[in-house]
Amino acid sequence: MRRITMSRGYRTIKLNQKQHTAWITLDRPDKLNAINEIMLEELSDAIDSLEKGANVRCVVIVGAGEWAFSAGADFTELRKLTPEIAKEFSVKGQQVFSKLKDMSKPVVAAIGGYALGGGLELALACDFRVAADNAELGCPEIKMGFIPAWGGTQRLPLIVGVAEAKRLILLGERVQADEACKMGLVDKVVPLKELEAEAEALAQRLCELQPAALKYAKLVVDSVTKVSSDGLRKETESFVQLISAKETKEKIDAFWSQRNKK
Ligand code: COA
């Protein structure tokens, strides 16, 4: 059965549906699906519409192209953040990802290629993570002098434990798919060409279960691992302080210009 496009005039994501599963495709493949302000807005709108969609029982999020689920927050926007905008930037991302996490329907991240920074934070807000064998996951922010600010500092330790979260967040280490699976960061690894079929099979299993039972199962399990509003507030405050520092701006600029010289 074909996927039916649900056109809502989005520019950075695509939304389509196959049977009871809605697929959100992060659709900036030429920018490795980097998450800009428009994409955050469109994700927020899509989540609202899928939450209301009576015919939708499960959501899958995937990146367009083979190379990335998402390479994180859009650098062109990061470089311009003032302290005021940095606060909004962090709070907005936290809100959208918390809304995703709090959906009454299960959400699967299908991770092919890079899931870095905000891209990993998006995947962390999903209920299941299936990865392709080319997946590479991590939080590179520390190398540029800042920290994840879209809930990642709170969700990562809940998923992989404090020690592994510190390895990724404090050291900025990246992990490949197999290692990510061993540490519980992803649930399963499959060859890249099987990624969508694997996510679809998982979504199908979820769709066959009773929606109300799934909704309450998710609600009660998530109550054990709810991120605290205090933790999110501290994440935002720390991010704003760090991103406003001259040194951080220099590191981000150095990273960006070095990348453009390749
Ligand atoms: N924001 C905006 N654009 C991004 C991006 C980001 N986070 N990550 C990649 N891109 C863009 C690049 O600018 C490039 O576009 P261009 O050709 O128009 O300049 C395109 O995506 C491909 O990226 P490129 O760096 O050429 O690919 P690569 O295979 O050599 O390297 C990465 C891939 C992921 C290692 C590298 O792009 C990278 O380190 N990106 C940033 C990851 C990161 O630190 N994310 C966290 C941000 S908080």
Side-chain angles (χ1 to χ4, degrees):
M1 189 184 280
R2 246 174 21 93
R3 289 195 208 155
I4 300 159
T5 303
M6 300 149 83
S7 174
R8 292 180 63 87
Y10 294 139
R11 287 188 280 163
T12 63
I13 63 172
K14 277 191 197 138
L15 199 55
N16 49 48
Q17 187 166 346
K18 188 175 176 187
Q19 293 171 315
H20 293 297
T21 302
W23 288 72
I24 300 177
T25 304
L26 310 175
D27 195 26
R28 300 181 74 208
D30 54 328
K31 299 292 176 195
L32 300 181
N33 304 316
I35 303 171
N36 61 9
E37 211 184 323
I38 303 172
M39 190 185 279
L40 265 186
E41 281 299 339
E42 293 184 348
L43 278 172
S44 179
D45 185 80
I47 295 163
D48 287 338
S49 114
L50 297 177
E51 179 62 35
K52 283 186 224 134
N55 204 23
V56 175
R57 292 190 180 182
C58 180
V59 177
V60 179
I61 305 184
V62 66
E66 296 183 356
W67 304 111
F69 176 73
S70 168
D74 192 307
F75 264 103
T76 53
E77 293 180 354
L78 261 182
R79 293 170 75 217
K80 294 183 201 148
L81 292 179
T82 61
E84 297 72 34
I85 310 174
K87 185 171 178 194
E88 272 173 42
F89 169 93
S90 169
V91 170
K92 178 77 191 173
Q94 288 177 349
Q95 284 171 345
V96 175
F97 292 181
S98 292
K99 184 160 65 173
L100 179 70
K101 185 72 199 140
D102 292 343
M103 279 188 88
S104 64
K105 306 163 189 198
V107 184
V108 177
I111 306 169
Y114 297 109
L116 299 174
L120 178 58
E121 291 180 281
L122 172 59
L124 294 174
C126 299
D127 300 299
F128 298 93
R129 283 164 290 281
V130 180
D133 49 9
N134 73 339
E136 192 171 320
L137 304 91
C139 308
E141 293 90 343
I142 197 86
K143 301 210 164 154
M144 289 169 274
F146 62 104
I147 58 167
W150 288 343
T153 62
Q154 306 299 295
R155 291 202 174 92
L156 189 58
L158 291 172
I159 293 169
V160 299
V162 172
E164 291 289 35
K166 284 190 175 170
R167 181 158 75 92
L168 268 65
I169 297 173
L170 274 63
L171 289 169
E173 281 188 21
R174 291 186 194 169
V175 290
Q176 309 295 316
D178 284 336
E179 189 181 355
C181 195
K182 278 190 202 125
M183 66 198 270
L185 183 52
V186 302
D187 309 312
K188 188 167 183 182
V189 180
V190 295
L192 176 61
K193 60 179 179 356
E194 292 169 23
L195 179 64
E196 290 205 10
E198 185 66 33
E200 186 169 336
L202 174 57
Q204 189 53 37
R205 281 174 63 196
L206 290 161
C207 287
E208 283 162 13
L209 297 163
Q210 198 199 350
L214 265 184
K215 170 183 163 175
Y216 287 110
K218 179 171 163 167
L219 190 76
V220 291
V221 173
D222 280 351
S223 69
V224 180
T225 57
K226 195 117 193 118
V227 298
S228 76
S229 51
D230 185 47
L232 290 173
R233 187 179 46 74
K234 283 190 183 123
E235 182 184 79
T236 297
E237 284 170 4
S238 312
F239 172 75
V240 172
Q241 193 175 336
L242 291 166
I243 203 89
S244 311
K246 186 167 167 273
E247 214 188 336
T248 309
K249 291 199 180 302
E250 285 167 2
K251 281 193 174 146
I252 295 175
D253 283 345
F255 176 89
W256 187 252
S257 49
Q258 196 185 10
R259 197 203 49 75
N260 279 338
K261 270 188 217 143
K262 278 190 289 181

